[in-house]
Amino acid sequence: RFLVKGGLAGAAVYVAYDQGLLGSGIEGAEALKKAQETLPPAIQEWTDYLGWEVRAAQLPPTPKIDFSLSASWNKGVHTVMSALSAAPSRACEYTVEGWKYVKDLVK
């Protein structure tokens, strides 16, 4: 089981890397655009193969995602870094509060 799960995880990482999802924000945006162009024909091909009759009107439109991948990534990095920079002072505050709580329990 472990080998199968590890193999699937490794394959998923390889495919993500090969498609450019682990690269820069520009490469990720290009991969997203490529997926949006490829997905509807692939769905139609599979429905034809399986014998399902799906009319174009029945398929929902592909969602329009209009955001900057690099800006979202940068915002996440800033959020994580600000949390890490505040961590020592927060740890001290929580330690003081914990000691106060323990002292109140002992009384």
Side-chain angles (χ1 to χ4, degrees):
R1 281 184 150 180
F2 177 72
L3 292 176
V4 171
K5 289 179 182 180
L8 289 174
V13 170
Y14 173 75
V15 169
Y17 176 76
D18 188 48
Q19 294 297 318
L21 296 175
L22 300 178
S24 67
I26 295 169
E27 291 174 353
E30 289 173 4
L32 179 63
K33 185 177 179 182
K34 183 179 169 184
Q36 287 175 337
E37 293 170 355
T38 306
L39 195 58
I43 292 173
Q44 186 64 42
E45 182 180 336
W46 273 99
T47 55
D48 292 344
Y49 176 76
L50 295 173
W52 296 342
E53 184 177 333
V54 179
R55 296 184 185 127
Q58 291 176 337
L59 290 176
T62 55
K64 302 294 180 197
I65 300 173
D66 188 26
F67 71 96
S68 172
L69 226 50
S70 61
S72 298
W73 175 262
N74 290 339
K75 183 178 179 183
V77 169
H78 285 291
T79 303
V80 168
M81 290 302 146
S82 66
L84 287 175
S85 68
S89 60
R90 293 284 171 109
C92 291
E93 292 172 13
Y94 293 147
T95 303
V96 169
E97 289 178 16
W99 278 112
K100 285 181 184 178
Y101 179 77
V102 169
K103 286 179 182 177
D104 290 340
L105 285 178
V106 173
K107 286 183 182 179

